[in-house]
Amino acid sequence: RMSRHAKKLRDHDINPCLAETDATTKCMNDNNYNKDLCTDYFLKYKNCRKFWHEIMMQRKRSGVKPEMPSAEERKKILESMG
């Protein structure tokens, strides 16, 4: 069974970078945990976290709840950016 924390990380509404997390994990598994072969995946994950952290901090400063947009909201934000 998954811990409550692990379940939260698997929740699309809580973790905006689930796809990047999974892609990185798959790359590591496929390449015998050779980080050098997965640099692009780590970079995409890092950029994703940075992007959504900025959005979260912006919403927090503006008093918007919840601070992390839902998966549906995030999709609209990304679409509006092109």
Side-chain angles (χ1 to χ4, degrees):
R1 261 179 47 204
M2 273 198 277
S3 70
R4 188 178 294 134
H5 180 70
K7 274 192 186 126
K8 277 174 98 172
L9 292 178
R10 299 300 310 160
D11 185 333
H12 281 280
D13 281 327
I14 295 169
N15 182 355
C17 302
L18 198 51
E20 290 78 2
T21 303
D22 291 347
T24 304
T25 303
K26 183 182 181 332
C27 180
M28 289 292 281
N29 288 336
D30 292 350
N31 291 291
N32 205 21
Y33 293 87
N34 182 342
K35 270 188 173 171
D36 296 337
L37 298 175
C38 301
T39 309
D40 288 349
Y41 292 97
F42 283 110
L43 195 59
K44 282 180 189 160
Y45 173 78
K46 191 176 160 187
N47 289 338
C48 177
R49 296 296 305 177
K50 189 177 172 188
F51 176 80
W52 289 112
H53 180 74
E54 285 297 316
I55 299 271
M56 214 167 82
M57 295 315 289
Q58 225 171 19
R59 287 167 65 108
K60 191 175 189 168
R61 282 191 294 271
S62 305
V64 178
K65 296 278 185 199
E67 287 157 10
M68 177 55 72
S70 68
E72 192 57 40
E73 249 184 297
R74 289 195 308 267
K75 191 177 162 195
K76 287 177 184 155
I77 291 169
L78 291 174
E79 282 169 359
S80 76
M81 295 173 73

